[in-house]
Amino acid sequence: MLVKRSVSLAGHRTSIALEPEFWAEVERLAKDNGASLAAFIRTIDNGRAPDSNLASQLRLAVLSDLNTQLVRQQRAD
């Protein structure tokens, strides 16, 4: 089930649909980066290619972070 949220990007409102589990991780990433949810999403939006999907980019940011955590954990073990 997708959950839609609205955010202002570049002066206009847009809706983003993600699974609740991804929203939880995006919120964690924003907090870990000392940013509001909207500011974190703007950062991802500003860094993506014009033809890429914002929801997909947010999922990839979550995947990248979780992968980084896994590698760090494996190195620590």
Side-chain angles (χ1 to χ4, degrees), residues 18-36:
L18 293 172
E19 296 78 5
E21 297 83 0
F22 276 103
W23 277 122
E25 290 300 314
V26 169
E27 289 171 349
R28 180 190 57 79
L29 280 172
K31 182 179 177 183
D32 288 354
N33 285 282
S36 68

Side-chain angles (χ1 to χ4, degrees), residues 17-77:
L18 293 172
E19 296 78 5
E21 297 83 0
F22 276 103
W23 277 122
E25 290 300 314
V26 169
E27 289 171 349
R28 180 190 57 79
L29 280 172
K31 182 179 177 183
D32 288 354
N33 285 282
S36 68
L37 180 61
F40 180 76
I41 292 172
R42 276 194 298 276
T43 299
I44 299 297
D45 185 49
N46 290 337
R48 71 184 172 104
D51 61 341
S52 67
N53 179 282
L54 180 55
S56 295
Q57 289 302 306
L58 289 167
R59 288 184 185 97
L60 290 173
V62 167
L63 179 61
S64 176
D65 180 72
L66 293 174
N67 188 46
T68 298
Q69 287 183 43
L70 179 61
V71 168
R72 284 184 190 148
Q73 183 179 8
Q74 288 173 339
R75 287 181 182 161
D77 289 344

